[in-house]
Amino acid sequence: MLSLGPLQASTTTTSTVPTCPSQIPRPRLPPLPYIYLRNLPYHRGSDLQQFLVDRQIRLRKEREDKRAVGADETQQSADLSEEGSHDLLLIVEHTPTYTNGRRNRGAQAISDQEADRLKKLGATYVESLRGGEITYHGPGQLVAYPILDLKPIKLSVRCYVSYLEKAIIATCAEWGVRAMTTENTGVWLNDQQKIAAIGVHVQRYITSHGLALNCNTDLEYFNQIVACGLSGKETTSLSKELGDPSINVATVIPMFVSGFGKVFERSLVPLEDKDKALEQAVREYCQTGDFSKLKDL
Amino acid sequence: MSLRTLSSRLRVAAQANRTIKSNLILRPGATAWMRSYSTIKKFSKDHEWIQVTEDGVTTFGFTNYGQGKYGDILMVEFQSANKDVKRGDVIGFIGNLKTAPDIMAPVSGRILRLNESLTMTPSVLNSAPETEGWIGQIQMGPEAEKELEEFLEEHEYKKLCDQEDADWRMAMDKKIDPKK
């Protein structure tokens, strides 16, 4: 019985795994809006993303229901090329936070003493539903949360992640830093040094969470943990590799935005230029934790 | 939720679906074999578990061993189409960092429901594959009796997993030392 046929493939070779498309298939999508949010507490970032994902699922369903009622083919492609896309790219710097994955909750959670020790370093400690081991987010780290609908571009999770890796590699290349992928997730300079972490969620084809690229992160926070459960490896940053203290998230963003746009074949526009009301509502939520403006949109 | 709670809820659900059952042509004595399977969990070589109630409703999912082989499951989607399935029919797929394997019906029959919450929290397939992470429920059709014979008892399944672990270790050793 071949219910889980591909499981068997994984124990032999991966030669049958299809390659990812080198180009995003049609239809082409409208410009992708992005917004830069600083000093964002991690939980607020998670709640904002979940809100945006739920909103996108709801808007897509409304669009599909309208179509079912009788719009024709030309209307459908018009939808996608004009107002149809609700994709959004959040670029974020978090306040100092350690996050731990679900395998480490409950019985295997780190001890209370350990959690306290990390908190004494001035960081928040958060356990989440995701897989993976403990990692750090904080100032100096460019965290990107693309909230994208994978359905119209027919991208598998695997290929989506590889596109994120490409976007990071392209950004590092702009700084003259050669980065690559290895058997471990994320983006690396070599077998020992990791420069970016990746961890995605997909709900009804809508992505959230994403990537974290160290620009001038205080790497001492990483020395306190076995990041991503990989001992013997270290975390590095663009600023450390180039010996250039002037590099920070703000200086890296333009290259990241351009690299992301090239890989996903979309132009990127500031959210305030595309939808001022949404931009203001997102900022208000980030400041206050109040969803009311967002709920109206 | 505990499996006992799940089983009792399934019984209620099965009773509610009596009209569906009456449309199936059951062989004489069919309910007898269904009764003999009721509330026993069985396993397949492909790391699925099934749990069958007296009314022939099968709940199914991946085993803990199975989810471990997939790694972190990042996405779950179900096909909305055909309710009547044959064993092996594709009913959805999951996505992880390596691949996007199909989810297939373990037995033939009619799909009663699918666990749609998995599409919003795919990680439950990793963290609770044999309880909260149940995938679906099928009202078994007449072909299912023969199909169920191929499922394994728990001790047989454990042996199979131990053997797979041993095979994997041997393969790893060979990789490290090809002379072995």
Side-chain angles (χ1 to χ4, degrees):
Chain A
M1 206 338 223
L2 296 172
S3 280
L4 301 178
L7 265 189
Q8 281 131 31
S10 70
T11 57
T12 54
T13 69
T14 52
S15 59
T16 49
V17 171
T19 53
C20 296
S22 55
Q23 268 190 305
I24 301 271
R26 293 281 164 174
R28 285 304 172 83
L29 293 166
L32 174 63
Y34 68 93
I35 181 172
Y36 175 30
L37 303 164
R38 307 186 64 185
N39 292 321
L40 185 64
Y42 187 83
H43 73 276
R44 211 161 267 175
S46 297
D47 292 348
L48 173 62
Q49 290 176 75
Q50 192 59 55
F51 177 89
L52 293 170
V53 167
D54 292 340
R55 174 179 176 264
Q56 197 147 335
I57 291 172
R58 177 173 49 84
L59 292 171
R60 182 179 65 195
K61 177 142 201 324
E62 285 171 14
R63 200 163 65 235
E64 284 170 357
D65 289 346
K66 250 199 279 183
R67 248 181 243 161
V69 171
D72 58 35
E73 285 291 328
T74 51
Q75 180 66 46
Q76 291 180 34
S77 39
D79 278 346
L80 280 174
S81 61
E82 292 161 18
E83 304 306 313
S85 172
H86 298 280
D87 293 345
L88 180 55
L89 173 62
L90 306 177
I91 300 176
V92 168
E93 269 182 283
H94 282 304
T95 52
T97 313
Y98 288 104
T99 69
N100 208 358
R102 61 163 167 76
R103 270 194 277 266
N104 302 313
R105 290 164 100 201
Q108 285 159 299
I110 63 174
S111 68
D112 287 339
Q113 288 103 302
E114 186 61 5
D116 280 342
R117 184 181 72 83
L118 295 176
K119 285 172 193 164
K120 282 200 176 78
L121 299 168
T124 311
Y125 173 72
V126 169
E127 285 178 344
S128 81
L129 277 180
R130 64 161 172 82
E133 306 289 333
I134 193 166
T135 191
Y136 170 79
H137 299 300
Q141 190 187 73
L142 190 163
V143 172
Y145 297 133
I147 315 291
L148 304 183
D149 189 345
L150 296 181
K151 215 177 184 183
I153 56 177
K154 299 187 180 39
L155 217 52
S156 68
V157 178
R158 182 177 70 89
C159 292
Y160 170 62
V161 167
S162 79
Y163 277 53
L164 294 183
E165 289 163 349
K166 286 186 169 68
I168 295 168
I169 290 169
T171 308
C172 292
E174 289 290 325
W175 289 96
V177 173
R178 216 179 57 160
M180 61 188 184
T181 54
T182 70
E183 56 175 14
N184 299 119
T185 66
V187 176
W188 299 71
L189 301 188
N190 48 55
D191 272 334
Q192 311 301 107
Q193 294 175 298
K194 186 172 186 176
I195 197 161
I198 294 182
V200 304
H201 287 188
V202 185
Q203 300 168 298
R204 309 305 331 269
Y205 292 96
I206 313 288
T207 65
S208 59
H209 291 263
L211 61 94
L213 169 62
N214 294 307
C215 302
N216 64 333
T217 322
D218 182 349
L219 298 175
E220 191 51 38
Y221 280 103
F222 283 99
N223 293 337
Q224 304 298 324
I225 54 170
V226 180
C228 307
L230 297 168
S231 57
K233 315 282 189 195
E234 71 169 42
T235 307
T236 186
S237 71
L238 285 170
S239 157
K240 178 172 181 220
E241 286 307 306
L242 297 168
D244 182 351
S246 74
I247 297 177
N248 56 38
V249 171
T251 56
V252 174
I253 283 179
M255 288 143 199
F256 175 74
V257 156
S258 136
F260 192 93
K262 283 206 187 77
V263 167
F264 283 88
E265 295 189 50
R266 292 171 85 159
S267 54
L268 281 274
V269 299
L271 178 60
E272 61 194 339
D273 293 349
K274 186 183 175 194
D275 189 339
K276 185 84 187 147
L278 181 59
E279 190 250 357
Q280 282 177 339
V282 168
R283 288 201 188 281
E284 174 163 316
Y285 169 72
C286 291
Q287 288 292 332
T288 65
D290 184 357
F291 270 121
S292 38
K293 271 221 182 85
L294 271 175
K295 287 207 164 104
D296 291 336
L297 295 171
Chain B
M1 118 180 34
S2 75
L3 228 24
R4 197 161 290 147
T5 314
L6 183 58
S7 304
S8 63
R9 286 199 196 177
L10 297 182
R11 249 173 247 130
V12 170
Q15 268 147 25
N17 285 305
R18 218 168 282 149
T19 45
I20 298 175
K21 204 174 55 157
S22 66
N23 289 333
L24 299 176
I25 301 164
L26 298 176
R27 287 184 4 245
T31 49
W33 66 259
M34 285 180 183
R35 212 171 293 129
S36 74
Y37 277 96
S38 71
T39 74
I40 298 171
K41 217 173 187 186
K42 298 245 179 185
F43 303 87
S44 78
K45 296 196 268 298
D46 299 299
H47 304 293
E48 307 149 296
W49 61 266
I50 57 167
Q51 183 136 5
V52 183
T53 63
E54 277 180 16
D55 293 319
V57 172
T58 302
T59 311
F60 64 94
F62 299 146
T63 63
N64 192 44
Y65 190 92
Q67 67 77 27
K69 290 178 88 164
Y70 281 128
D72 287 338
I73 295 170
L74 303 174
M75 179 173 178
V76 176
E77 277 298 310
F78 291 119
Q79 327 281 55
S80 49
N82 226 342
K83 292 280 183 277
D84 290 315
V85 291
K86 291 256 164 301
R87 176 173 126 163
D89 281 356
V90 174
I91 59 174
F93 67 90
I94 65 175
N96 61 23
L97 287 176
K98 293 213 166 62
T99 177
D102 291 326
I103 304 171
M104 301 186 203
V107 295
S108 304
R110 173 163 291 182
I111 296 178
L112 295 178
R113 65 185 57 80
L114 297 169
N115 188 356
E116 299 280 347
S117 73
L118 293 177
T119 64
M120 294 301 286
T121 17
S123 62
V124 172
L125 272 182
N126 290 121
S127 61
E130 301 193 24
T131 53
E132 260 179 275
W134 63 275
I135 293 176
Q137 291 170 21
I138 291 178
Q139 177 74 57
M140 293 195 293
E143 314 97 316
E145 182 182 1
K146 263 233 128 27
E147 292 165 357
L148 286 178
E149 285 167 16
E150 296 192 28
F151 282 78
L152 307 171
E153 304 286 334
E154 185 161 6
H155 66 273
E156 294 171 310
Y157 176 63
K158 185 168 185 320
K159 253 202 197 151
L160 180 125
C161 295
D162 289 343
Q163 186 60 51
E164 280 197 19
D165 280 342
D167 290 344
W168 183 84
R169 272 196 301 273
M170 198 157 60
M172 286 298 112
D173 286 345
K174 282 214 175 83
K175 261 195 195 165
I176 296 165
D177 182 1
K179 292 198 204 98
K180 273 199 179 174

mmCIF file of all heavy atoms in Angstrom, chain B residues 98-138:
data_model
loop_
_atom_site.group_PDB
_atom_site.id
_atom_site.type_symbol
_atom_site.label_atom_id
_atom_site.label_comp_id
_atom_site.label_asym_id
_atom_site.label_seq_id
_atom_site.Cartn_x
_atom_site.Cartn_y
_atom_site.Cartn_z
ATOM 1 N N LYS B 98 11.371 19.231 2.325
ATOM 2 C CA LYS B 98 11.961 18.403 1.266
ATOM 3 C C LYS B 98 10.991 18.093 0.142
ATOM 4 O O LYS B 98 11.369 17.976 -0.998
ATOM 5 C CB LYS B 98 12.458 17.080 1.862
ATOM 6 C CG LYS B 98 13.611 17.227 2.814
ATOM 7 C CD LYS B 98 14.541 16.020 2.725
ATOM 8 C CE LYS B 98 15.873 16.291 3.405
ATOM 9 N NZ LYS B 98 15.723 16.559 4.861
ATOM 10 N N THR B 99 9.719 17.919 0.482
ATOM 11 C CA THR B 99 8.810 17.365 -0.514
ATOM 12 C C THR B 99 7.360 17.705 -0.151
ATOM 13 O O THR B 99 7.094 18.411 0.813
ATOM 14 C CB THR B 99 9.045 15.830 -0.610
ATOM 15 O OG1 THR B 99 8.114 15.284 -1.525
ATOM 16 C CG2 THR B 99 8.855 15.175 0.735
ATOM 17 N N ALA B 100 6.420 17.221 -0.963
ATOM 18 C CA ALA B 100 4.997 17.492 -0.711
ATOM 19 C C ALA B 100 4.213 16.204 -0.935
ATOM 20 O O ALA B 100 3.475 16.076 -1.904
ATOM 21 C CB ALA B 100 4.499 18.603 -1.632
ATOM 22 N N PRO B 101 4.373 15.220 -0.037
ATOM 23 C CA PRO B 101 3.742 13.923 -0.271
ATOM 24 C C PRO B 101 2.219 13.966 -0.135
ATOM 25 O O PRO B 101 1.671 14.751 0.636
ATOM 26 C CB PRO B 101 4.353 13.032 0.826
ATOM 27 C CG PRO B 101 4.875 13.943 1.856
ATOM 28 C CD PRO B 101 5.167 15.255 1.203
ATOM 29 N N ASP B 102 1.576 13.116 -0.903
ATOM 30 C CA ASP B 102 0.128 13.015 -0.853
ATOM 31 C C ASP B 102 -0.324 12.332 0.429
ATOM 32 O O ASP B 102 0.374 11.479 0.970
ATOM 33 C CB ASP B 102 -0.386 12.181 -2.038
ATOM 34 C CG ASP B 102 -0.195 12.912 -3.357
ATOM 35 O OD1 ASP B 102 -0.304 14.153 -3.376
ATOM 36 O OD2 ASP B 102 0.062 12.234 -4.364
ATOM 37 N N ILE B 103 -1.506 12.715 0.899
ATOM 38 C CA ILE B 103 -2.199 11.977 1.949
ATOM 39 C C ILE B 103 -3.202 11.096 1.218
ATOM 40 O O ILE B 103 -3.961 11.590 0.377
ATOM 41 C CB ILE B 103 -2.960 12.911 2.905
ATOM 42 C CG1 ILE B 103 -2.033 13.958 3.520
ATOM 43 C CG2 ILE B 103 -3.643 12.099 3.999
ATOM 44 C CD1 ILE B 103 -2.771 15.029 4.305
ATOM 45 N N MET B 104 -3.212 9.803 1.518
ATOM 46 C CA MET B 104 -4.113 8.903 0.806
ATOM 47 C C MET B 104 -5.071 8.199 1.758
ATOM 48 O O MET B 104 -4.751 7.983 2.924
ATOM 49 C CB MET B 104 -3.291 7.877 0.039
ATOM 50 C CG MET B 104 -2.344 8.534 -0.954
ATOM 51 S SD MET B 104 -1.511 7.312 -1.957
ATOM 52 C CE MET B 104 -0.070 8.226 -2.445
ATOM 53 N N ALA B 105 -6.233 7.867 1.238
ATOM 54 C CA ALA B 105 -7.233 7.171 2.037
ATOM 55 C C ALA B 105 -6.711 5.777 2.387
ATOM 56 O O ALA B 105 -6.306 5.034 1.503
ATOM 57 C CB ALA B 105 -8.527 7.057 1.259
ATOM 58 N N PRO B 106 -6.714 5.392 3.668
ATOM 59 C CA PRO B 106 -6.165 4.088 4.045
ATOM 60 C C PRO B 106 -7.115 2.933 3.753
ATOM 61 O O PRO B 106 -6.677 1.790 3.649
ATOM 62 C CB PRO B 106 -5.935 4.224 5.548
ATOM 63 C CG PRO B 106 -6.916 5.248 5.990
ATOM 64 C CD PRO B 106 -7.111 6.185 4.838
ATOM 65 N N VAL B 107 -8.413 3.240 3.661
ATOM 66 C CA VAL B 107 -9.407 2.204 3.357
ATOM 67 C C VAL B 107 -10.427 2.788 2.384
ATOM 68 O O VAL B 107 -10.518 4.009 2.233
ATOM 69 C CB VAL B 107 -10.153 1.707 4.628
ATOM 70 C CG1 VAL B 107 -9.202 0.996 5.571
ATOM 71 C CG2 VAL B 107 -10.857 2.848 5.338
ATOM 72 N N SER B 108 -11.188 1.905 1.761
ATOM 73 C CA SER B 108 -12.221 2.362 0.830
ATOM 74 C C SER B 108 -13.504 2.664 1.583
ATOM 75 O O SER B 108 -13.833 1.998 2.560
ATOM 76 C CB SER B 108 -12.503 1.279 -0.212
ATOM 77 O OG SER B 108 -11.318 0.923 -0.867
ATOM 78 N N GLY B 109 -14.230 3.668 1.071
ATOM 79 C CA GLY B 109 -15.491 4.001 1.711
ATOM 80 C C GLY B 109 -15.875 5.434 1.412
ATOM 81 O O GLY B 109 -15.462 6.004 0.408
ATOM 82 N N ARG B 110 -16.643 6.014 2.298
ATOM 83 C CA ARG B 110 -17.061 7.405 2.115
ATOM 84 C C ARG B 110 -16.440 8.276 3.204
ATOM 85 O O ARG B 110 -16.550 7.975 4.382
ATOM 86 C CB ARG B 110 -18.581 7.505 2.173
ATOM 87 C CG ARG B 110 -19.075 8.957 2.162
ATOM 88 C CD ARG B 110 -20.519 9.047 1.819
ATOM 89 N NE ARG B 110 -20.729 8.687 0.420
ATOM 90 C CZ ARG B 110 -21.912 8.717 -0.189
ATOM 91 N NH1 ARG B 110 -22.980 9.073 0.493
ATOM 92 N NH2 ARG B 110 -22.028 8.390 -1.444
ATOM 93 N N ILE B 111 -15.835 9.373 2.772
ATOM 94 C CA ILE B 111 -15.244 10.301 3.748
ATOM 95 C C ILE B 111 -16.365 11.007 4.500
ATOM 96 O O ILE B 111 -17.245 11.636 3.901
ATOM 97 C CB ILE B 111 -14.369 11.353 3.049
ATOM 98 C CG1 ILE B 111 -13.186 10.677 2.366
ATOM 99 C CG2 ILE B 111 -13.867 12.380 4.065
ATOM 100 C CD1 ILE B 111 -12.299 11.640 1.615
ATOM 101 N N LEU B 112 -16.330 10.877 5.811
ATOM 102 C CA LEU B 112 -17.324 11.551 6.645
ATOM 103 C C LEU B 112 -16.860 12.950 7.008
ATOM 104 O O LEU B 112 -17.611 13.901 6.989
ATOM 105 C CB LEU B 112 -17.581 10.745 7.920
ATOM 106 C CG LEU B 112 -18.217 9.376 7.702
ATOM 107 C CD1 LEU B 112 -18.369 8.650 9.031
ATOM 108 C CD2 LEU B 112 -19.568 9.522 7.013
ATOM 109 N N ARG B 113 -15.604 13.046 7.402
ATOM 110 C CA ARG B 113 -15.053 14.365 7.708
ATOM 111 C C ARG B 113 -13.540 14.320 7.680
ATOM 112 O O ARG B 113 -12.924 13.266 7.796
ATOM 113 C CB ARG B 113 -15.547 14.885 9.057
ATOM 114 C CG ARG B 113 -15.120 14.111 10.259
ATOM 115 C CD ARG B 113 -15.780 14.672 11.518
ATOM 116 N NE ARG B 113 -17.212 14.662 11.417
ATOM 117 C CZ ARG B 113 -17.981 13.579 11.615
ATOM 118 N NH1 ARG B 113 -17.421 12.437 11.943
ATOM 119 N NH2 ARG B 113 -19.281 13.660 11.487
ATOM 120 N N LEU B 114 -12.957 15.505 7.481
ATOM 121 C CA LEU B 114 -11.509 15.671 7.515
ATOM 122 C C LEU B 114 -11.174 16.715 8.573
ATOM 123 O O LEU B 114 -11.958 17.639 8.804
ATOM 124 C CB LEU B 114 -10.994 16.131 6.144
ATOM 125 C CG LEU B 114 -11.221 15.134 5.018
ATOM 126 C CD1 LEU B 114 -10.941 15.774 3.656
ATOM 127 C CD2 LEU B 114 -10.329 13.910 5.197
ATOM 128 N N ASN B 115 -10.040 16.564 9.195
ATOM 129 C CA ASN B 115 -9.658 17.460 10.283
ATOM 130 C C ASN B 115 -9.102 18.768 9.720
ATOM 131 O O ASN B 115 -7.910 18.974 9.609
ATOM 132 C CB ASN B 115 -8.616 16.761 11.171
ATOM 133 C CG ASN B 115 -8.304 17.556 12.429
ATOM 134 O OD1 ASN B 115 -8.802 18.658 12.624
ATOM 135 N ND2 ASN B 115 -7.455 16.987 13.282
ATOM 136 N N GLU B 116 -10.046 19.663 9.362
ATOM 137 C CA GLU B 116 -9.669 20.914 8.697
ATOM 138 C C GLU B 116 -8.759 21.779 9.561
ATOM 139 O O GLU B 116 -8.007 22.608 9.044
ATOM 140 C CB GLU B 116 -10.926 21.723 8.322
ATOM 141 C CG GLU B 116 -11.860 21.008 7.367
ATOM 142 C CD GLU B 116 -11.397 21.086 5.918
ATOM 143 O OE1 GLU B 116 -10.491 21.897 5.613
ATOM 144 O OE2 GLU B 116 -11.922 20.323 5.088
ATOM 145 N N SER B 117 -8.811 21.606 10.890
ATOM 146 C CA SER B 117 -7.969 22.461 11.745
ATOM 147 C C SER B 117 -6.484 22.254 11.435
ATOM 148 O O SER B 117 -5.662 23.131 11.687
ATOM 149 C CB SER B 117 -8.238 22.176 13.226
ATOM 150 O OG SER B 117 -7.690 20.928 13.605
ATOM 151 N N LEU B 118 -6.137 21.099 10.848
ATOM 152 C CA LEU B 118 -4.734 20.857 10.504
ATOM 153 C C LEU B 118 -4.228 21.837 9.456
ATOM 154 O O LEU B 118 -3.032 22.118 9.394
ATOM 155 C CB LEU B 118 -4.549 19.426 9.972
ATOM 156 C CG LEU B 118 -4.769 18.299 10.974
ATOM 157 C CD1 LEU B 118 -4.618 16.948 10.279
ATOM 158 C CD2 LEU B 118 -3.791 18.393 12.138
ATOM 159 N N THR B 119 -5.139 22.362 8.614
ATOM 160 C CA THR B 119 -4.679 23.315 7.600
ATOM 161 C C THR B 119 -4.215 24.616 8.247
ATOM 162 O O THR B 119 -3.439 25.369 7.669
ATOM 163 C CB THR B 119 -5.770 23.629 6.556
ATOM 164 O OG1 THR B 119 -6.861 24.273 7.205
ATOM 165 C CG2 THR B 119 -6.267 22.376 5.877
ATOM 166 N N MET B 120 -4.706 24.897 9.468
ATOM 167 C CA MET B 120 -4.297 26.120 10.176
ATOM 168 C C MET B 120 -3.175 25.854 11.181
ATOM 169 O O MET B 120 -2.405 26.757 11.472
ATOM 170 C CB MET B 120 -5.508 26.742 10.900
ATOM 171 C CG MET B 120 -6.591 27.251 9.956
ATOM 172 S SD MET B 120 -6.014 28.510 8.783
ATOM 173 C CE MET B 120 -5.862 29.934 9.864
ATOM 174 N N THR B 121 -3.085 24.650 11.704
ATOM 175 C CA THR B 121 -1.961 24.319 12.591
ATOM 176 C C THR B 121 -1.341 22.994 12.169
ATOM 177 O O THR B 121 -1.544 21.971 12.819
ATOM 178 C CB THR B 121 -2.368 24.223 14.083
ATOM 179 O OG1 THR B 121 -3.791 24.097 14.159
ATOM 180 C CG2 THR B 121 -1.964 25.414 14.870
ATOM 181 N N PRO B 122 -0.593 23.000 11.066
ATOM 182 C CA PRO B 122 0.029 21.768 10.575
ATOM 183 C C PRO B 122 0.952 21.126 11.594
ATOM 184 O O PRO B 122 1.125 19.902 11.583
ATOM 185 C CB PRO B 122 0.842 22.240 9.362
ATOM 186 C CG PRO B 122 0.336 23.591 9.012
ATOM 187 C CD PRO B 122 -0.281 24.173 10.229
ATOM 188 N N SER B 123 1.526 21.898 12.494
ATOM 189 C CA SER B 123 2.497 21.353 13.439
ATOM 190 C C SER B 123 1.865 20.321 14.369
ATOM 191 O O SER B 123 2.576 19.518 14.970
ATOM 192 C CB SER B 123 3.132 22.473 14.258
ATOM 193 O OG SER B 123 2.146 23.147 15.011
ATOM 194 N N VAL B 124 0.538 20.305 14.481
ATOM 195 C CA VAL B 124 -0.128 19.303 15.319
ATOM 196 C C VAL B 124 0.111 17.890 14.768
ATOM 197 O O VAL B 124 0.138 16.915 15.524
ATOM 198 C CB VAL B 124 -1.649 19.598 15.434
ATOM 199 C CG1 VAL B 124 -2.394 18.469 16.127
ATOM 200 C CG2 VAL B 124 -1.861 20.901 16.189
ATOM 201 N N LEU B 125 0.329 17.784 13.464
ATOM 202 C CA LEU B 125 0.645 16.479 12.875
ATOM 203 C C LEU B 125 1.967 15.949 13.421
ATOM 204 O O LEU B 125 2.186 14.749 13.472
ATOM 205 C CB LEU B 125 0.741 16.574 11.355
ATOM 206 C CG LEU B 125 -0.545 16.377 10.565
ATOM 207 C CD1 LEU B 125 -0.249 16.463 9.077
ATOM 208 C CD2 LEU B 125 -1.170 15.030 10.881
ATOM 209 N N ASN B 126 2.854 16.860 13.811
ATOM 210 C CA ASN B 126 4.105 16.438 14.428
ATOM 211 C C ASN B 126 3.933 16.220 15.933
ATOM 212 O O ASN B 126 4.427 15.249 16.489
ATOM 213 C CB ASN B 126 5.210 17.483 14.227
ATOM 214 C CG ASN B 126 5.679 17.572 12.800
ATOM 215 O OD1 ASN B 126 5.606 18.631 12.188
ATOM 216 N ND2 ASN B 126 6.178 16.476 12.258
ATOM 217 N N SER B 127 3.250 17.145 16.609
ATOM 218 C CA SER B 127 3.241 17.111 18.071
ATOM 219 C C SER B 127 2.224 16.116 18.624
ATOM 220 O O SER B 127 2.419 15.593 19.710
ATOM 221 C CB SER B 127 2.969 18.501 18.636
ATOM 222 O OG SER B 127 1.700 18.959 18.213
ATOM 223 N N ALA B 128 1.125 15.846 17.911
ATOM 224 C CA ALA B 128 0.106 14.923 18.445
ATOM 225 C C ALA B 128 -0.490 14.088 17.327
ATOM 226 O O ALA B 128 -1.703 14.121 17.101
ATOM 227 C CB ALA B 128 -0.986 15.724 19.169
ATOM 228 N N PRO B 129 0.306 13.336 16.604
ATOM 229 C CA PRO B 129 -0.179 12.658 15.403
ATOM 230 C C PRO B 129 -1.223 11.577 15.688
ATOM 231 O O PRO B 129 -2.032 11.269 14.811
ATOM 232 C CB PRO B 129 1.090 12.030 14.809
ATOM 233 C CG PRO B 129 2.012 11.876 15.968
ATOM 234 C CD PRO B 129 1.734 13.025 16.870
ATOM 235 N N GLU B 130 -1.199 11.009 16.898
ATOM 236 C CA GLU B 130 -2.108 9.892 17.138
ATOM 237 C C GLU B 130 -3.317 10.292 17.964
ATOM 238 O O GLU B 130 -4.154 9.453 18.289
ATOM 239 C CB GLU B 130 -1.325 8.739 17.808
ATOM 240 C CG GLU B 130 -0.169 8.286 16.914
ATOM 241 C CD GLU B 130 0.463 6.973 17.337
ATOM 242 O OE1 GLU B 130 -0.205 6.158 18.011
ATOM 243 O OE2 GLU B 130 1.636 6.739 16.972
ATOM 244 N N THR B 131 -3.408 11.581 18.278
ATOM 245 C CA THR B 131 -4.601 12.053 18.998
ATOM 246 C C THR B 131 -5.199 13.259 18.274
ATOM 247 O O THR B 131 -5.913 13.089 17.296
ATOM 248 C CB THR B 131 -4.243 12.398 20.472
ATOM 249 O OG1 THR B 131 -3.142 13.299 20.483
ATOM 250 C CG2 THR B 131 -3.895 11.139 21.257
ATOM 251 N N GLU B 132 -4.857 14.476 18.736
ATOM 252 C CA GLU B 132 -5.377 15.692 18.094
ATOM 253 C C GLU B 132 -5.118 15.743 16.597
ATOM 254 O O GLU B 132 -5.818 16.390 15.853
ATOM 255 C CB GLU B 132 -4.640 16.894 18.659
ATOM 256 C CG GLU B 132 -5.338 17.670 19.718
ATOM 257 C CD GLU B 132 -4.428 18.807 20.147
ATOM 258 O OE1 GLU B 132 -3.567 18.547 21.022
ATOM 259 O OE2 GLU B 132 -4.555 19.901 19.582
ATOM 260 N N GLY B 133 -4.025 15.105 16.154
ATOM 261 C CA GLY B 133 -3.623 15.198 14.749
ATOM 262 C C GLY B 133 -4.298 14.171 13.858
ATOM 263 O O GLY B 133 -3.814 13.875 12.772
ATOM 264 N N TRP B 134 -5.460 13.620 14.284
ATOM 265 C CA TRP B 134 -6.191 12.681 13.413
ATOM 266 C C TRP B 134 -6.482 13.387 12.099
ATOM 267 O O TRP B 134 -6.740 14.590 12.068
ATOM 268 C CB TRP B 134 -7.472 12.182 14.081
ATOM 269 C CG TRP B 134 -8.484 13.248 14.369
ATOM 270 C CD1 TRP B 134 -8.531 14.069 15.470
ATOM 271 C CD2 TRP B 134 -9.600 13.634 13.551
ATOM 272 N NE1 TRP B 134 -9.593 14.934 15.379
ATOM 273 C CE2 TRP B 134 -10.273 14.693 14.234
ATOM 274 C CE3 TRP B 134 -10.097 13.206 12.331
ATOM 275 C CZ2 TRP B 134 -11.420 15.308 13.720
ATOM 276 C CZ3 TRP B 134 -11.248 13.809 11.815
ATOM 277 C CH2 TRP B 134 -11.894 14.850 12.513
ATOM 278 N N ILE B 135 -6.469 12.640 11.009
ATOM 279 C CA ILE B 135 -6.588 13.263 9.702
ATOM 280 C C ILE B 135 -8.013 13.215 9.172
ATOM 281 O O ILE B 135 -8.498 14.189 8.600
ATOM 282 C CB ILE B 135 -5.622 12.613 8.694
ATOM 283 C CG1 ILE B 135 -4.175 12.934 9.108
ATOM 284 C CG2 ILE B 135 -5.875 13.095 7.273
ATOM 285 C CD1 ILE B 135 -3.127 12.277 8.249
ATOM 286 N N GLY B 136 -8.693 12.070 9.322
ATOM 287 C CA GLY B 136 -10.040 11.999 8.774
ATOM 288 C C GLY B 136 -10.806 10.805 9.303
ATOM 289 O O GLY B 136 -10.280 9.982 10.061
ATOM 290 N N GLN B 137 -12.070 10.745 8.896
ATOM 291 C CA GLN B 137 -12.927 9.610 9.236
ATOM 292 C C GLN B 137 -13.611 9.113 7.986
ATOM 293 O O GLN B 137 -14.120 9.920 7.195
ATOM 294 C CB GLN B 137 -13.983 10.022 10.257
ATOM 295 C CG GLN B 137 -13.413 10.329 11.618
ATOM 296 C CD GLN B 137 -14.433 10.963 12.510
ATOM 297 O OE1 GLN B 137 -15.633 10.837 12.273
ATOM 298 N NE2 GLN B 137 -13.986 11.657 13.524
ATOM 299 N N ILE B 138 -13.583 7.795 7.809
ATOM 300 C CA ILE B 138 -14.192 7.181 6.630
ATOM 301 C C ILE B 138 -15.219 6.155 7.079
ATOM 302 O O ILE B 138 -14.940 5.334 7.963
ATOM 303 C CB ILE B 138 -13.099 6.492 5.767
ATOM 304 C CG1 ILE B 138 -12.190 7.553 5.142
ATOM 305 C CG2 ILE B 138 -13.716 5.613 4.679
ATOM 306 C CD1 ILE B 138 -11.068 6.981 4.313
#
